[in-house]
Amino acid sequence: MQPVEFRVTYESPNTWARLGELQTSHGVIQTPVFMPVGTQATVKAMSPRELVEVGAHIVLANTYHLYLRPGHQLVERAGGLHEFMAWNRSILTDSGGFQVFSLGELRKITEEGVTFRSHLDGSKHFISPEISMEIQMALGADIAMAFDECAPYPADYQYTKDSMELTSRWARRCKASHQREDQALFGIVQGGMYADLRKQSADDLVSLEFPGYGIGGLSVGEPKELMYELLEITVPRLPVDKPRYLMGVGSPDCLLEGVSRGIDMFDCVLPTRIARHGTVFTRNGTMTVRNAAYSQDFLPLDPDCDCYVCQNFSRAYIRHLLNTGEILGVRLTTIHNLRFLIRLMEEIRESISQNTLPEFREGFLERYYGGCS
């Protein structure tokens, strides 16, 4: 058995959407799937048991952050990420490329790799494709990602072309140095907002025959319609028998539009981040429950939601928790937001199987954009 096996089980006749099964040594994941982000080996405010309860089968952890603390050697001594964080389902680690890109003036990119200063204490570090592989092999996730450069938005054509070509060269180095047989390594397509560069990057990465492909460098500030156009250019160039992972995307509308364009995997910090600020997803759009308007509102966050929070607590109570600084408030908004997106993916998969995805998408988005209750 390969470290990751993927098979398409159904293809939509009226969209590019498809159903699939992604199998790792830690279980089978039904796709399309949303992956909660556990940046520092924990999904903020959630225990592993609660992640299972909301329906998560795979989570993402971050190479850059775990390299800085507690250190990949410590995680390896603990038995790898699964043992360290007590999570017996699948894990994907990103390469650290996006986080290093986000450091701005704190980092310097060369052919060899990236020299950067820690956002924690200013200490100097260096990550190359080979070092990224070393870190991710030590962490021991089921899926590792190739080290890449994410071009900013906006960026001129020549910079983006040079960045994309560097990412392709780094992908070759990652593949050459990745030796862990029980871990799959996915490549990452870059190319910024330029159609020809996206095509070239996809073709370069496909020639290396990775077992899966991330699409990076989107959702970095560009209009959503431009992201959708670039997906329509990129996805057809990727193998039909390999999973396609749209990195860093997780709003309900983008999940629906991405699935409709053939995406199988998504991740994003959005649901947990907005939860910490008192904002939740509902069928009628987002709702900032800490607002005064909900002080005497005894409805659930979303009357249509099946999560533990909506079955037991009112908006007024959760607002009270948030505004008094009680930890439970943020835990409840987080549980709800993750379950909302994971359930949305369940409903999307069901609509694909019934050939009703266009109708489901239209109905959901009409209500979602219509404003919050």
Side-chain angles (χ1 to χ4, degrees):
M1 177 181 170
Q2 296 297 315
V4 165
E5 293 188 346
F6 178 73
R7 70 185 187 98
V8 176
T9 59
Y10 186 76
E11 293 182 279
S12 169
N14 47 15
T15 70
W16 293 2
R18 73 253 191 95
L19 300 176
E21 291 183 349
L22 180 67
Q23 183 168 0
T24 77
S25 61
H26 288 90
V28 177
I29 302 148
Q30 302 297 323
T31 65
V33 64
F34 175 78
M35 302 181 288
V37 175
T39 302
Q40 303 189 88
T42 176
V43 177
K44 286 182 171 57
M46 298 284 287
S47 70
R49 182 170 63 185
E50 288 165 334
L51 285 170
V52 170
E53 289 171 353
V54 299
H57 287 268
I58 179 171
V59 299
L60 181 145
N62 183 265
T63 294
Y64 165 81
H65 289 282
L66 294 175
Y67 159 75
L68 289 178
R69 58 181 183 186
H72 55 289
Q73 297 96 338
L74 185 146
V75 175
E76 186 174 35
R77 289 197 299 274
L81 271 178
H82 291 91
E83 288 293 323
F84 190 55
M85 60 189 287
W87 174 251
N88 62 6
R89 296 187 174 186
S90 299
I91 301 174
L92 180 149
T93 45
D94 63 10
S95 70
F98 180 79
Q99 284 67 38
V100 171
F101 147 79
S102 301
L103 292 172
E105 294 181 358
L106 294 175
R107 53 98 171 119
K108 180 181 179 182
I109 302 169
T110 66
E111 184 68 36
E112 282 306 304
V114 183
T115 302
F116 62 95
R117 293 195 177 276
S118 165
H119 71 288
L120 299 172
D121 59 10
S123 57
K124 192 174 181 179
H125 301 269
F126 175 75
I127 293 182
S128 65
E130 292 78 11
I131 292 173
S132 177
M133 293 301 95
E134 175 189 332
I135 297 167
Q136 291 188 79
M137 287 188 288
L139 294 175
D142 302 276
I143 301 170
M145 301 301 297
F147 193 58
D148 63 326
E149 187 196 355
C150 178
Y153 175 81
D156 65 49
Y157 183 86
Q158 190 59 51
Y159 179 97
T160 307
K161 184 175 188 294
D162 292 343
S163 172
M164 179 273 296
E165 291 175 346
L166 179 63
T167 288
S168 292
R169 294 193 296 274
W170 282 359
R172 288 173 170 81
R173 289 167 56 186
C174 286
K175 188 167 184 183
S177 61
H178 184 265
Q179 304 296 328
R180 185 159 181 159
E181 294 184 354
D182 63 346
Q183 182 182 68
L185 173 64
F186 284 15
I188 302 178
V189 176
Q190 288 289 349
M193 305 301 144
Y194 301 97
D196 62 324
L197 298 183
R198 283 280 164 185
K199 292 176 183 178
Q200 181 182 338
S201 181
D203 293 349
D204 286 350
L205 272 294
V206 169
S207 73
L208 296 175
E209 297 184 342
F210 287 101
Y213 295 90
I215 301 174
L218 297 177
S219 192
V220 291
E222 80 280 5
K224 289 182 179 180
E225 288 303 323
L226 178 55
M227 178 175 73
Y228 303 150
E229 290 174 17
L230 291 167
L231 288 178
E232 292 171 8
I233 290 165
T234 305
V235 168
R237 306 185 87 86
L238 300 177
V240 296
D241 60 343
K242 304 287 181 67
R244 307 155 177 165
Y245 163 28
L246 180 55
M247 305 178 73
V249 171
S251 62
D253 52 343
C254 288
L255 295 178
L256 278 159
E257 299 291 354
V259 166
S260 299
R261 289 164 174 83
I263 299 299
D264 306 300
M265 303 167 68
F266 303 83
D267 83 281
C268 195
V269 298
L270 180 67
T272 51
R273 177 174 289 166
I274 66 173
R276 296 195 296 277
H277 297 285
T279 298
V280 294
F281 297 121
T282 78
R283 297 279 165 160
N284 298 313
T286 57
M287 175 176 67
T288 302
V289 72
R290 68 165 67 243
N291 288 350
Y294 304 105
S295 62
Q296 299 183 57
D297 189 335
F298 302 110
L299 289 173
L301 293 176
D302 184 341
D304 294 328
C305 182
D306 66 355
C307 79
Y308 165 76
V309 179
C310 289
Q311 298 304 308
N312 290 279
F313 305 104
S314 69
R315 299 170 179 178
Y317 177 65
I318 295 170
R319 177 184 181 273
H320 157 70
L321 295 176
L322 293 169
N323 287 331
T324 54
E326 290 290 341
I327 295 171
L328 181 60
V330 171
R331 284 177 36 73
L332 295 181
T333 54
T334 302
I335 289 169
H336 167 77
N337 277 354
L338 289 176
R339 177 56 191 160
F340 184 92
L341 292 189
I342 290 170
R343 186 184 182 204
L344 174 60
M345 300 308 287
E346 293 170 356
E347 293 172 339
I348 288 172
R349 292 197 297 269
E350 177 65 20
S351 72
I352 295 171
S353 72
Q354 299 297 320
N355 296 332
T356 58
L357 177 59
E359 294 84 357
F360 177 80
R361 178 181 63 189
E362 181 179 354
F364 181 94
L365 293 178
E366 181 179 358
R367 184 174 172 187
Y368 187 76
Y369 288 140
C372 191
S373 59

